Amino acid sequence: FAMIGLFMYLVRMAALQFKPKYLYLAALTFSLIITIRPTNGLVILLVPAICGSREKTIHLIRNAFLSWKNAAVSLVAVLVFPWMAMLLWYLQSGQWIAYSYGEEGFDFMNPHFFQILFSFEKGWFLYTPVAFLSMAGLVWLFRNQRFVFYWAAAFLVIFIYVASSWWAWAYTSNFGQRIFIDLYALVGLLLAFA
């Protein structure tokens, strides 16, 4: 949650007033995000929504990649924490990639999309009704900022699809869905828009 919130803040700052430090810190934060939970790397899809417009997104991308220094430092920052994790795996197991889940994994052909949101077993919206209410913010975005709406909605659909494709879609927590706690910064913004 903290890393995604920080990433969103740093990307927004870089989009509003580009300074290389915001770009580098956002890349470093993204590095931590994908090291902590690789599926949260999908937050990269939120960058255009965080920027707020097509023009700001293009401006950020140009500033990030047209300068070889910005691109190189950002790439190193994105790779630093995953590389450290891989080095530790190699030193401990002799393998660069250590998959500790055994036979467990994703079943993308059999997602539990509606169960993860609405079921009595572990439905996110059922056990976290404020999250459900926050989705009304998408209506405001649709009416006022279509660009942001499309990117935020696409991110949510893809994230929910991936999360619901895990073999144990209920994620064994007691009530609600702990997998969505990471997105509460976005949920808070949507609630504000609502």
Side-chain angles (χ1 to χ4, degrees):
F1 163 75
M3 291 298 103
I4 289 177
L6 179 62
F7 176 75
M8 291 171 63
Y9 169 76
L10 292 167
V11 168
R12 183 68 178 169
M13 292 304 293
L16 292 178
Q17 52 181 6
F18 185 82
K19 293 182 181 173
K21 71 176 181 179
Y22 293 130
L23 177 67
Y24 305 154
L25 289 171
L28 194 61
T29 304
F30 184 73
S31 178
L32 274 170
I33 289 169
I34 60 177
T35 302
I36 294 167
R37 182 175 284 149
T39 54
N40 282 351
L42 291 170
V43 77
I44 200 77
L45 297 174
L46 267 181
V47 168
I50 296 165
C51 288
S53 70
R54 179 183 215 173
E55 295 76 25
K56 288 179 185 169
T57 304
I58 291 169
H59 181 68
L60 176 64
I61 291 170
R62 282 188 181 149
N63 283 327
F65 295 109
L66 287 184
S67 162
W68 70 268
K69 180 185 175 189
N70 287 346
V73 172
S74 297
L75 180 63
V76 168
V78 165
L79 296 176
V80 69
F81 289 112
W83 181 84
M84 288 170 51
M86 290 172 64
L87 179 63
L88 288 173
W89 290 332
Y90 182 76
L91 294 173
Q92 293 173 1
S93 69
Q95 298 177 350
W96 286 102
I97 303 282
Y99 186 74
S100 60
Y101 291 99
E103 299 297 318
E104 302 167 358
F106 290 96
D107 182 4
F108 292 111
M109 299 306 290
N110 188 26
H112 297 273
F113 197 89
F114 293 103
Q115 291 96 327
I116 204 169
L117 296 176
F118 297 106
S119 77
F120 283 100
E121 185 177 348
K122 304 282 189 207
W124 183 42
F125 290 154
L126 192 67
Y127 289 98
T128 314
V130 171
F132 183 70
L133 292 174
S134 75
M135 295 302 130
L138 290 171
V139 175
W140 186 89
L141 285 174
F142 181 78
R143 290 181 181 160
N144 298 292
Q145 295 184 1
R146 292 264 171 107
F147 180 82
V148 176
F149 165 79
Y150 289 127
W151 282 99
F155 166 76
L156 285 169
V157 168
I158 293 168
F159 186 89
I160 293 166
Y161 170 75
V162 170
S164 69
S165 296
W166 185 247
W167 74 278
W169 65 269
Y171 291 90
T172 68
S173 58
N174 292 333
F175 300 105
Q177 286 291 341
R178 65 183 171 90
I179 190 89
F180 291 108
I181 292 172
D182 300 347
L183 302 184
Y184 281 2
L186 174 62
V187 169
L189 288 173
L190 290 175
L191 191 60
F193 290 134

